[in-house]
Amino acid sequence: MANKLYPDAKAALDGLLFDGMTIMSGGFGLCGIPEKLIAALRDAGVKGLTVISNNAGVDGFGLGQLLETRQIAKMISSYVGENKEFERQYLAGELQLEFNPQGTLAERIRAGGAGIPGFYTKTGVGTLVAEGKEHKDFATASGTETYILETGLVADVSIVKAWKADPYGNLIFRKTSRNFNPMMATAGKVTVVEVEELVPTGTFDPDHIHTPGVFVQRLFVGRDYEKRIEQRTVRQREPA
Amino acid sequence: MWTRDQQAARAAKELQDGFYVNLGIGMPTLVANFIPEGVDVTLQSENGMLGMGPFPFAGEEDPDLINAGKQTITELDRTSYFSSADSFAMIRGGHIDLSILGAMEVADNGDIANWMIPGKMVKGMGGAMDLVAGVKKIIVLMEHNAKDGSAKFKTACILPLTGKGVVDMVISELAVLARPAKGAPFRLIELAPGIDLDMLKARTEGHFEA
């Protein structure tokens, strides 16, 4: 079998990086982000990046680290509200930003990975998002409705966080840290995955694999995950 | 006039047994506290979860388990997890029965604006445009007037739209306005205690049938 295993994030990215490249980065907020690979991108110093990610991290963590070092030239995201450095660079004209509705972003990535160059959606019809896009009417169960054309997205490299993998690159995600990771795994020319645990081949029930190994080219086990919580929210126990 | 909790409780009356529901960030989140007894609803969180449970007890937070507001939450016996693409297949594909969300403006033709104020830093629309375009019924929970006193239920939205002609019901601290179908005019359904029609009209710009 082809070896997909690498010792760490730096080794797993070796030979893949170049200035001006497009990177997809998994996660929702700070949940399920490839924290080791983002740190390795920062250390590699690659510049002029277009980063496709639902969010842009927070100051000093996640993609916020690549903003501090000015490595990102453009973000394609649905929501970027948690990051002061992002706001500063954007308002200063140093950073380009393309907003996509969250479901449109997810589907553009799914389509790109599935070899579908475009699709029609009614999300965003009649809004700024629809400006300059092809409009087309379709007959539906509730009558004729207008849809807009959205294009598929692919990346030079996708960086993905999963919970567990086997040596063939079969992946299992955990709870809501799955989010954008499975689609991004399909849409990278090269997909690099970090996991918390590597299990021997044959451990997974084949029916329970979320992402089949064909989508994964490189793989390593990350250590000491920080897994920051953005909004720690708890309830009080009822008094006994 | 209704308090915020009473507004949320009024919105909760729209929940029906068996509904799959997506609640927006802010006041709509309160609706989960007022689900009527005997009504079983499953809450969807667009970051990839059906069957959202309550907040965890201190010490039991799981960083891999958050809602769309990035708050720590818990799972239930019925819970399922899925990708963002599957999540928005549910939303865009019309499989979610009801979404309750906030708004800066709603027009009397059902237009909604809740994501962008030109000239201010724009954070993004997140999942709001997908929700209003795809969910079967859209309820807006909002204050009747903006801080400067201007009406938020208008003849036309001034702010950039989130969706066109998509709102079915508006619940403010003063009244419930609703329409039986997209395209139909809004009608007054209910006045909050102490509010009469003249008071409501004085504070409303958009057209509704009394």
Side-chain angles (χ1 to χ4, degrees):
Chain A
M1 70 182 267
N3 179 44
K4 298 186 180 184
L5 291 174
Y6 288 75
D8 55 27
K10 182 170 186 262
L13 289 173
D14 187 47
L16 299 180
L17 305 180
F18 57 93
D19 289 347
M21 69 188 298
T22 298
I23 289 179
M24 285 185 187
S25 183
F28 182 96
L30 299 178
C31 181
I33 60 169
E35 52 180 90
K36 308 300 172 196
L37 286 160
I38 292 170
L41 282 175
R42 177 200 58 202
D43 295 344
V46 62
K47 284 192 164 44
L49 301 176
T50 294
V51 177
I52 301 167
S53 175
N54 189 56
N55 311 95
V58 297
D59 289 305
F61 193 62
L63 292 173
Q65 295 172 92
L66 302 185
L67 289 163
E68 273 170 19
T69 50
R70 312 288 183 90
Q71 286 169 270
I72 300 177
K74 181 180 179 182
M75 288 288 313
I76 301 178
S77 303
S78 87
Y79 192 85
V80 296
E82 323 294 349
N83 197 321
K84 287 200 170 54
E85 178 59 15
F86 187 104
E87 182 170 343
R88 195 200 62 71
Q89 288 184 22
Y90 177 70
L91 293 176
E94 298 165 11
L95 179 68
Q96 282 181 274
L97 172 59
E98 178 186 322
F99 277 127
N100 283 193
Q102 194 177 139
T104 295
L105 182 62
E107 190 64 13
R108 290 185 72 191
I109 299 163
R110 195 198 71 81
I116 296 170
F119 60 93
Y120 291 97
T121 177
K122 61 183 170 181
T123 298
V125 170
T127 76
L128 291 175
V129 163
E131 283 182 8
K133 289 176 184 161
E134 184 197 325
H135 286 58
K136 188 168 178 167
D137 289 344
F138 287 89
T140 70
S142 44
T144 299
E145 289 194 83
T146 303
Y147 292 72
I148 53 173
L149 179 66
E150 295 281 2
T151 54
L153 286 171
V154 292
D156 296 306
V157 170
S158 282
I159 57 174
V160 162
K161 163 71 177 31
W163 184 33
K164 296 180 181 184
D166 70 16
Y168 281 85
N170 294 312
L171 305 180
I172 289 181
F173 301 93
R174 184 171 179 275
K175 302 185 189 284
T176 55
S177 70
R178 191 183 316 187
N179 54 64
F180 282 81
N181 283 298
M183 295 87 73
M184 289 184 173
T186 71
K189 283 179 203 156
V190 181
T191 291
V192 185
V193 181
E194 58 180 87
V195 295
E196 292 171 56
E197 189 182 346
L198 181 73
V199 301
T201 303
T203 305
F204 293 150
D205 180 338
D207 272 331
H208 292 175
I209 289 167
H210 295 138
T211 291
V214 68
F215 296 116
V216 176
Q217 282 72 47
R218 298 186 181 192
L219 181 65
F220 69 96
V221 180
R223 315 256 172 230
D224 303 321
Y225 274 93
E226 211 174 314
K227 290 198 186 182
R228 282 198 208 171
I229 293 174
E230 270 180 84
Q231 306 285 340
R232 188 178 298 275
T233 313
V234 297
R235 75 186 133 130
Q236 299 302 315
R237 283 179 200 277
E238 303 288 331
Chain B
M1 203 173 345
W2 285 313
T3 64
R4 280 166 66 87
D5 271 353
Q6 287 168 332
Q7 243 178 289
R10 177 59 189 83
K13 284 191 187 175
E14 301 300 320
L15 301 171
Q16 292 177 28
D17 195 38
F19 261 19
Y20 290 93
V21 178
N22 183 294
L23 299 177
I25 294 163
M27 198 180 349
T29 310
L30 297 175
V31 175
N33 299 334
F34 300 99
I35 298 171
E37 214 163 308
V39 173
D40 183 78
V41 302
T42 300
L43 298 177
Q44 200 243 20
S45 190
E46 65 263 27
N47 55 318
M49 179 185 199
L50 262 179
M52 199 175 11
F55 297 130
F57 294 120
E60 295 176 4
E61 308 93 318
D62 182 343
D64 289 338
L65 182 45
I66 62 167
N67 63 17
K70 285 120 184 170
Q71 296 170 305
T72 44
I73 48 163
T74 56
E75 63 184 25
L76 304 169
D77 289 345
R78 74 181 66 178
T79 296
S80 58
Y81 298 110
F82 35 83
S83 72
S84 302
D86 285 341
S87 179
F88 283 93
M90 293 173 196
I91 290 166
R92 198 190 307 100
H95 306 281
I96 302 298
D97 297 290
L98 173 64
S99 180
I100 303 177
L101 61 174
M104 297 187 277
E105 295 176 343
V106 173
D108 58 21
N109 64 355
D111 291 358
I112 175 172
N114 72 353
W115 77 283
M116 178 181 184
I117 301 173
K120 288 201 178 171
M121 178 62 195
V122 181
K123 292 185 169 190
M125 70 290 279
M129 285 192 182
D130 308 279
L131 284 160
V132 299
V135 171
K136 285 182 201 161
K137 182 173 180 178
I138 302 295
I139 297 179
V140 169
L141 208 49
M142 67 178 189
E143 286 161 355
H144 204 83
N145 300 87
K147 285 203 179 83
D148 67 0
S150 62
K152 293 174 72 172
F153 185 73
K154 299 174 116 60
T155 50
C157 291
I158 297 161
L159 296 170
L161 296 184
T162 308
K164 229 178 150 35
V166 293
V167 176
D168 298 289
M169 180 179 271
V170 175
I171 301 174
S172 75
E173 74 278 21
L174 303 184
V176 179
L177 303 172
R179 52 186 189 161
K182 313 249 196 251
F186 278 86
R187 218 178 280 163
L188 174 62
I189 303 294
E190 192 176 331
L191 286 164
I195 306 300
D196 63 33
L197 184 58
D198 288 339
M199 291 162 81
L200 179 65
K201 280 187 171 166
R203 288 179 54 180
T204 307
E205 179 198 300
H207 174 76
F208 62 89
E209 294 177 350

